[in-house]
């Protein structure tokens, strides 16, 4: 059961449409379902405002489908599966079957069971990616943010190698509620955006780059040492973490 469902249920109790005893039974559903290989957290949405998300890497298609089915049965309207390759996604879809609606997004490697909610955040989350090679991580951040009920604007291929491309979106940056800056190489876009924006900036280093980038470590260190105030940093290639954090900020 998600937070908004609990709120609706309590409103119905207040209106006399549902008996308190009946509501208590609904709320006292087991806090998790033990599948043997996973204890599915059915009340995370109530505790944290965001329901459980499935990390697909390392899990079988059968495990992913069963966990998703458990979450859906408990009332979760949208279930995300991150780090899901196309071959496994096809098996998950086959396992889920009808009537579950399953959509696979190839670039961010994300599967979605159900539909994303309508945006209910305070403003717009801008996802700015330095280069086209950064799109898998940027799209992971953008799609996660959308699935958590946010309006997202994408600014892609706006890196510092051609700064005019980013400056052309100065008004979008100024109007944003949160900005996610995604870059590999030297990761400079986070500092540039941080110097232009009045909102929180979440920097995401990617593993894109040549040898001395050390798989994203160079971008990570550059972002951690940004001279722009208001820039925070998530782990290398962690688009999910950035999208999640941006959603929390946008729903304050």
């Amino acid at each position: 059961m998600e937070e908004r469902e609990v709120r609706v249920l309590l409103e119905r109790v207040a209106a006399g449409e549902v008996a308190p005893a009946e509501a208590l039974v609904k709320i006292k559903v087991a806090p998790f379902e033990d599948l043997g290989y996973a204890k599915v957290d059915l009340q995370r949405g109530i505790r944290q405002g965001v329901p459980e998300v499935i990390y697909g890497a390392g899990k079988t298609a059968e495990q992913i489908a069963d966990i998703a089915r458990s979450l859906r049965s408990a009332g979760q309207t949208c279930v995300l599966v991150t780090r899901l390759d196309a071959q496994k996604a096809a098996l998950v879809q086959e396992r889920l079957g009808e009537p579950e609606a399953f959509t696979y997004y190839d670039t961010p490697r994300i599967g979605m069971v159900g539909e994303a909610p309508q945006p209910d955040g305070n403003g717009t989350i801008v996802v700015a990616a330095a280069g086209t090679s950064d799109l898998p991580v940027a799209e992971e951040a953008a799609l996660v943010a959308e699935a958590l009920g946010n309006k997202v604007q994408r600014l892609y291929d706006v890196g510092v190698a051609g700064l005019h491309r980013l400056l052309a979106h100065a008004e979008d940056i100024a109007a944003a509620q949160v900005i996610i800056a995604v870059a590999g190489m030297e990761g400079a876009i986070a500092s540039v955006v941080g110097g232009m924006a009045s909102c929180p900036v979440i920097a995401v280093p990617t593993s894109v780059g040549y040898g001395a980038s050390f798989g994203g470590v160079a971008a990570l260190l550059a972002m951690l040492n940004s001279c722009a105030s208001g820039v925070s940093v998530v782990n290398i290639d962690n688009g999910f973490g950035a999208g999640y954090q941006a959603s929390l900020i946008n729903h304050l």
Side-chain angles (χ1 to χ4, degrees):
M1 182 175 287
E2 298 183 19
E3 182 180 1
R4 58 177 173 271
E5 292 176 303
V6 174
R7 186 180 295 111
V8 170
L9 179 60
L10 294 177
E11 289 173 351
R12 294 185 65 195
V13 171
E17 299 174 0
V18 176
E22 182 183 351
L24 182 62
V25 170
K26 291 181 179 294
I27 293 175
K28 287 176 64 177
V29 172
F32 64 88
E33 181 178 1
D34 193 345
L35 301 180
Y37 51 81
K39 290 180 173 62
V40 185
D41 191 348
L42 304 179
Q43 293 186 346
R44 188 172 302 180
I46 298 174
R47 296 195 316 274
Q48 297 185 329
V50 177
E52 185 168 8
V53 174
I54 303 170
Y55 180 71
K59 292 182 179 69
T60 67
E62 291 76 17
Q63 290 170 340
I64 292 170
D66 290 347
I67 294 171
R69 189 178 292 110
S70 173
L71 291 168
R72 291 279 284 173
S73 296
Q76 189 165 320
T77 55
C78 177
V79 179
L80 283 181
V81 186
T82 65
R83 299 302 165 95
L84 182 66
D85 62 68
Q87 182 178 5
K88 192 183 294 184
L91 295 174
V92 170
Q93 185 170 28
E94 180 180 332
R95 175 86 177 187
L96 284 172
E98 297 294 341
E100 291 289 8
F102 178 81
T103 306
Y104 181 66
Y105 300 87
D106 185 66
T107 298
R109 296 185 297 153
I110 284 180
M112 183 186 296
V113 186
E115 297 182 356
Q118 291 297 313
D120 58 1
N122 298 320
T124 299
I125 295 174
V126 168
V127 180
T132 305
S133 297
D134 299 310
L135 290 192
V137 178
E139 270 299 295
E140 182 180 55
L143 191 58
V144 166
E146 287 176 335
L148 298 182
N150 299 277
K151 179 183 177 182
V152 175
Q153 181 178 9
R154 294 160 169 82
L155 307 180
Y156 287 170
D157 198 22
V158 290
V160 298
L163 194 56
H164 56 291
R165 300 174 300 178
L166 180 63
L167 296 178
H169 294 283
E171 291 186 5
D172 299 321
I173 292 171
Q177 189 82 0
V178 192
I179 299 174
I180 299 173
V182 185
M185 301 292 185
E186 82 291 358
I189 190 175
S191 292
V192 176
V193 170
M196 297 172 63
S198 60
C199 65
V201 175
I202 303 171
V204 190
T206 73
S207 52
V208 171
Y210 291 101
S213 69
F214 297 111
V217 174
L220 171 65
L221 293 176
M223 290 172 171
L224 286 171
N225 287 282
S226 173
C227 62
S229 303
V231 175
S232 59
V233 188
V234 298
N235 207 349
I236 298 169
D237 291 336
N238 189 11
F240 166 77
Y244 187 105
Q245 184 72 1
S247 178
L248 292 179
I249 295 170
N250 196 37
H251 283 87
L252 287 174

